Every structure is written in structure tokens, then in C-alpha cells.
Amino acid sequence: MTELFRNAWAGWRGFTGDGKLVGLLLVSLLFLWLYYKRVEQKRFLIYTTVMTVCCIVPVTAAVLMRYQTLFYSYEWIWSFVPLTSVIAFAAAVFVTEPLQNTAEYGRKKRIAAVAALLLLFALCGGMGSGLEDSGQEESRRAEAVLEKLREKASGRELCLWAPQEIMAHAREYDSALTLVYGRNMWEPSLNAWLYDTYPEEIVELYRWMSGGEEKTMTDLSCAETAVAAGVNCILLPESTEKGTIESFERVLGVKTESLEGYYLLIR
Amino acid sequence: MLKNYFFPDIVLSIGILLTGAAEAIHLYGVLFGRPLSECALIFGAVAALAAAVVLACVVIRVRGALTARRGRAAAPREPVQSRGRKGADALLWAAFVLLVLSQLLFLVTGQSVFCGGDMTVETVGSFLQSDGLHRVNPLTGQAYAEGLPSRLKILCLPTVYASLCRIFQVLPRVMVWRVIPVLTLLGCYTANLCLGKSLFPGSGRKQLVFLTAVALLIWVGSGQYGMDGFGLLRAGWRGETLRNAVLIPYAISLCIRRKYLHALLCAAAEACIVWTLYGLGVCPVIIAGLALTALPAKRRPVGTEAAG
């Protein structure tokens, strides 16, 4: 339970760090409560206020996190609060009620108030940050490689082993390809969707291809393990040493070809 | 019985009923090991029927609106709105349409999809490739060694997307990353239209401001993980996005109108598309919460809270 509290607190800090929409929600609720008598749907306001408090207070947040299953992170308990709807509700009340009904407000003042509201919205959203290209360039590069690979395969069934940037997009691009391991090897959150796990030698293959210091397999045993696992198509990065390539050629019994910045071995 | 129902209610209710039908077809495919092509055929027939009903409703609605317009033209003229008020309404409409169009354009270009922790495209691809439901591990394309959790196995969205890919001969990544998010966004605005009508009954201008603010907030939240805008503009195919952006606003709208039984349909739809705890999810909590807030109001004389 302590762990759950800690997660709830850390989640709140992380959630409010990226953007200020929660701040805008609190301002909206404050405005609606101050303007309570003129608010038509008080039940909606009461429900939203109670749930907002529940999402902020660590004890109730922890209960909500357990309710929504531990599969989901802290951010998702905010689904209980109709954040967009309540801010829009407050904005609609603000723009149409106090501004319209106050006689001393001139046209210019009303326009200035709406402009201030728009600016507040824009500032709360982090000014478009987070919308930048999220791996699309890598995806496009992988697509180009996989397109060429499909041409080379000329209808054969392929079981591919390649660097992570290719493996990550291979099944998105072509579901006829089979892979020696999938995205869940380096993206553990995906393991929630499957019971399948990988044997140690397949994990070793991943470590070898990632090129980190953790790899323990020799080039030769690595190639043999890959072939034993059913791999018939290997892409090696351009930086692969000549001796390694020769080991792979010997085990697979084929010559390497160059393919879009990779060495291709296909049999 | 049909009091306090709006035209968008028909569209959303048919969408929810279609989800129920899709779930039944999916379970038929999974439990009896039927091929995807057969499931797609049945789903296609049901979806075509649903589309025909929606189309018929649209035609009836348009004809009714035209008749009412003719009637208004013949009747004595109502007081004309002031020029300033008309101009403000036109400006609001323009802002709303511009915001929605920019979002649709953003989705169609598919420039910023967020796939972290998601494997829908691979799952749909594996359904199409193996012509069956959950027959191979979507991440590797090889046969399952251990399988997958049964609560996930019964979620119907991958079957719906795969069926649509099969019917329209579209690639999974095009259907999942570009077409479905567009439909989700339109569903979101339909649900918020219902919510606007429930929150501000009889006030068209307030409803328009509400919708424009929602459109603006979708852009504002698009950079922050967990926000409606983020889900709609970067992961519109996910069950959580459909729930948060379509089912929840619609359920709230129904609860405000005290149509709790109808709102329970949203909870049922959520159980078909999102991994929830033993069938419970966010919608039941919201429905229960709003029903509880209605209890003290019941003690007061009727009419003290407008439509709420």
C-alpha cells in the first residue's frame, strides 16, 4: 500500500509537471463555485469537484488506482474527472453569462476578456510541446529497408533478426514477416498483453544485436543460435566487423549483400 | 419515453449497439475458432444495417427541418437578432469549424501517432494474415507459447478494425492510425454536442461556445499524456480514448437527463473495448456518482434545477 501511495504522489507530480490543464480545471471549478447560483447543472459540478479531490489526495488516488487495475498508470485515474467537459462548461458560462450580462462591460473589454481566456488555454497546453515527430523518421527509414527486403525475398517466408530500429516496425509494415523476438523485448509494458516470455538464448540474441557490454555470446554461437531459432534473414548494422560477417556467412552458407546501410544475409 | 432525446442520441446509441454486436461477433469468432473472413462478413452486414438506419434518420431529420423552415417562413417574423450578436455567432461557428478541420487534417496526415505500449496494428495485421482471431503472437507472428489473458482476449476492437480492413481492403496501419481516429474525433464531437444540449438546454449560443471550447481544449491537451486531446490526436484507435472522449461525455449527458438505464449501455460498451476490473470501469463510477448527486435534489420541489 505504501508503494501505491508513493506511486500516486509521484504520479500527481509528474501529471502536473507536463502541462497546466489540471490548474485550469481547478480555476474552472473555483469560478463555477463562486458563480454557483447561476450554474444550471449543479450535480455535474458537485460530482466533478468530489472526483477531482479524490484524484489529488494520495489515499483516495491510491484506491482509484487499485480500482482501475494496476495495469494502468496514475494518469488514467483522471478519466474519472471529465476534465475537458468541465473546463469547457466553465468557459461557456464565463463567456456567455458574466461578460454578456454586465452592462459596464464594453465591446472592447469583452473581446479582451475572451482573448485573455484563449491565452490562458494556450499557456496551459505547453504551447504545442510534445507534438513533435515521435519516431516517425525512424519509422520511414525502417519502411524503406523493409520494402527493399520484401523485393529481395520475392515471396519467400522470412523469419527476421535485425537491429531494434528495424524490428520495432517490421510487423507494423508487413504482417507476413515473422520475428525472432518482438517489441516487448525492450518495451516491457507490452508484456501485460501476453503471457509469452523469451528463452534466455533469444534474450542473448537481443543483447548481441544491441551491441551493449552485456553480451556474452560469441559471433559464431550467436549465428548458430539464430539459425536454430528458425531465422533465415539477418540484417547487420553497417558498423559490423569483417570477422563477424565472415562467421555469419559461414553459418548461413550465403554471401552478404548491402541493403540501405545494412548487411543482408538471406537464405 | 423519447422526451429529452436529441438527434445525436440516435447516432451514438446506434454506435454503442454496433459495439455490442461487434462483441458478440468477436466472441463467436474466438470461442468457436471461426475465420476472420466470416466474422468480417457478419460484421459488415450488421454495420451496413446500422449505417442504413443512421442514413434514414438523417433523411427524416433533414426533411423535418426543411418543413419546419417553410413553416417559419410562412409565420410572422420573429424579432431580428442584433448585428453584433449575429456577427459573434458567425465568428464562433468559424472558429469551431476551423478547429475541427485542423484536427481532421492533423489526423489524416498521421504525423504524430503514439504507439508506446500499444500493439493494435500488429494485432490487426496478425488477424488478417492468419485469417483468425488471436491465433499467433502479434509481436512475432509465431504461434503463442502461453497465450494471452482471457480478459484481453474478449476485447472486440481488433476484430472490428480487422473486419473494416478486410471489407475496404485497407492496410492495418492506415485504418488504425488514420481512419479510426477521424471517426473517434467525430464521435467525440457528437457526444459533446449531446452534453452541451444537456448542460445548456435551449441555449444554442452556450452550446456553441461549449463545443468551441472543447475543440480548443483538444488542441491544448494534445501534448500531455493522459489528456483527452492527446488520446484523440495521437492515439484515437485505443479503447481508453474511445471511452474518455465518446462514452464518458455521452454517459454524463444521459445522467444529467436522468436516463440512467440508457447510460448503462455506455458502461457495457466500455467493458467490450477497455480492460476493466471484473467488468467494472470508469463509466459505472461516473453513472453512480451522478446518480448519488441526484439524491439530495430529489427532496427539493421539482423544477428548482433546470433539467438537472
Side-chain angles (χ1 to χ4, degrees):
Chain A
M1 203 62 182
T2 321
E3 180 73 17
L4 208 57
F5 284 156
R6 205 175 301 129
N7 286 347
W9 177 241
W12 163 251
R13 291 182 63 180
F15 190 61
T16 48
D18 291 344
K20 301 289 172 275
L21 270 178
V22 178
L24 194 56
L25 170 75
L26 297 177
V27 171
S28 301
L29 288 175
L30 184 69
F31 163 74
L32 290 170
W33 278 109
L34 289 174
Y35 209 68
Y36 185 74
K37 281 186 182 169
R38 301 290 296 270
V39 173
E40 289 178 60
Q41 303 300 339
K42 295 181 175 59
R43 290 169 49 207
F44 180 50
L45 176 60
I46 293 165
Y47 166 79
T48 312
T49 308
V50 171
M51 287 316 287
T52 303
V53 172
C54 287
C55 287
I56 295 172
V57 175
V59 180
T60 42
V63 173
L64 287 176
M65 280 173 77
R66 185 157 290 271
Y67 172 82
Q68 66 165 359
T69 78
L70 297 176
F71 174 70
Y72 295 106
S73 52
Y74 173 82
E75 288 87 351
W76 292 106
I77 65 168
W78 282 90
S79 299
F80 292 101
V81 181
L83 196 135
T84 305
S85 304
V86 83
I87 297 174
F89 178 48
V93 173
F94 175 71
V95 170
T96 54
E97 289 280 344
L99 287 184
Q100 296 291 322
N101 297 344
T102 315
E104 64 266 27
Y105 262 85
R107 190 189 163 97
K108 281 182 185 170
K109 280 184 181 172
R110 279 209 295 268
I111 291 171
V114 172
L117 187 72
L118 291 178
L119 186 68
L120 187 67
F121 273 23
L123 288 173
C124 287
M127 303 295 277
S129 65
L131 272 179
E132 60 275 359
D133 194 327
S134 51
Q136 297 298 302
E137 188 50 44
E138 183 191 285
S139 170
R140 272 191 286 274
R141 272 204 306 269
E143 262 182 41
V145 175
L146 290 161
E147 180 68 46
K148 287 270 164 59
L149 189 62
R150 184 192 265 177
E151 286 167 16
K152 294 259 181 197
S154 54
R156 268 179 295 174
E157 284 185 10
L158 294 183
C159 181
L160 177 70
W161 179 38
Q164 186 174 318
E165 68 271 15
I166 301 294
M167 296 284 267
H169 303 284
R171 298 263 313 152
E172 287 169 4
Y173 178 74
D174 186 356
S175 43
L177 277 174
T178 56
L179 307 179
V180 67
Y181 51 78
R183 257 193 310 139
N184 55 335
M185 184 67 92
W186 60 90
E187 214 177 310
S189 64
L190 287 169
N191 286 320
W193 300 98
L194 308 157
Y195 288 138
D196 287 11
T197 50
Y198 296 110
E200 188 53 36
E201 64 267 21
I202 300 294
V203 178
E204 283 295 331
L205 285 183
Y206 166 68
R207 286 192 193 126
W208 188 92
M209 191 58 93
S210 302
E213 288 173 4
E214 291 171 22
K215 65 179 180 183
T216 52
M217 268 186 174
T218 62
D219 298 343
L220 199 64
S221 63
C222 200
E224 284 166 350
T225 308
V227 171
V231 172
N232 64 353
C233 177
I234 300 175
L235 279 175
L236 295 171
E238 210 169 25
S239 57
T240 310
E241 289 169 11
K242 207 176 171 196
T244 307
I245 293 170
E246 283 169 1
S247 302
F248 274 79
E249 283 179 338
R250 214 173 314 131
V251 173
L252 271 88
V254 291
K255 284 279 170 202
T256 52
E257 298 172 52
S258 181
L259 184 104
E260 297 277 319
Y262 294 91
Y263 292 114
L264 169 68
L265 294 110
I266 187 166
R267 69 171 193 173
Chain B
M1 191 185 163
L2 290 175
K3 198 185 159 199
N4 259 342
Y5 272 112
F6 316 118
F7 178 70
D9 280 308
I10 299 171
V11 178
L12 289 169
S13 300
I14 288 173
I16 289 172
L17 291 176
L18 190 60
T19 308
E23 180 63 31
I25 295 163
H26 173 74
L27 288 178
Y28 166 72
V30 169
L31 299 176
F32 296 100
R34 304 307 302 166
L36 173 75
S37 47
E38 190 182 322
C39 296
L41 200 68
I42 304 170
F43 178 76
V46 176
L49 185 70
V53 172
V54 171
L55 201 68
C57 291
V58 169
V59 170
I60 293 168
R61 166 85 178 175
V62 169
R63 282 182 65 177
L66 286 174
T67 315
R69 206 172 169 182
R70 268 187 236 119
R72 269 205 305 272
R77 300 197 78 175
E78 288 170 20
V80 183
Q81 275 188 334
S82 74
R83 254 177 63 188
R85 201 173 165 82
K86 254 187 167 176
D89 281 354
L91 201 67
L92 268 173
W93 268 112
F96 174 66
V97 170
L98 202 68
L99 284 165
V100 176
L101 285 179
S102 64
Q103 286 161 2
L104 289 174
L105 196 69
F106 183 79
L107 288 175
V108 169
T109 54
Q111 285 302 302
S112 195
V113 290
F114 179 79
C115 302
D118 181 81
M119 53 183 202
T120 309
V121 170
E122 287 100 327
T123 308
V124 171
S126 70
F127 281 16
L128 290 164
Q129 183 66 27
S130 64
D131 194 23
L133 314 180
H134 295 301
R135 288 191 185 163
V136 294
N137 179 336
L139 292 175
T140 61
Q142 298 184 14
Y144 276 114
E146 304 282 337
L148 71 162
S150 48
R151 180 66 187 91
L152 295 176
K153 206 172 179 177
I154 62 168
L155 299 180
C156 69
L157 284 182
T159 303
V160 172
Y161 301 160
S163 298
L164 291 172
C165 287
R166 177 59 60 94
I167 293 165
F168 294 105
Q169 296 295 311
V170 177
L171 288 170
R173 58 208 163 111
V174 175
M175 178 60 73
V176 173
W177 289 344
R178 298 189 185 195
V179 179
I180 299 296
V182 168
L183 296 177
T184 308
L185 185 73
L186 296 176
C188 168
Y189 283 116
T190 313
N192 277 296
L193 182 60
C194 281
L195 184 55
K197 282 175 178 285
S198 306
L199 288 170
F200 306 109
S203 174
R205 169 170 257 216
K206 283 182 185 173
Q207 291 166 16
L208 182 57
V209 175
F210 174 77
L211 274 181
T212 310
V214 167
L216 200 59
L217 285 164
I218 286 172
W219 269 128
V220 169
S222 58
Q224 193 183 351
Y225 181 72
M227 291 296 157
D228 292 344
F230 185 94
L232 280 165
L233 297 182
R234 303 188 63 181
W237 64 89
R238 290 190 183 187
E240 293 90 350
T241 307
L242 277 161
R243 175 191 64 195
N244 289 7
V246 183
L247 294 178
I248 289 178
Y250 187 48
I252 294 171
S253 144
L254 289 168
C255 287
I256 289 172
R257 289 179 270 160
R258 297 180 193 268
K259 298 189 183 299
Y260 298 108
L261 281 178
H262 193 159
L264 286 177
L265 276 183
C266 298
E270 183 190 0
C272 299
I273 61 170
V274 188
W275 185 6
T276 54
L277 183 70
Y278 309 118
L280 294 172
V282 177
C283 285
V285 173
I286 291 178
I287 295 165
L290 283 165
L292 278 175
T293 58
L295 290 179
K298 268 188 176 172
R299 291 194 200 116
R300 275 183 253 138
V302 179
T304 50
E305 193 183 64

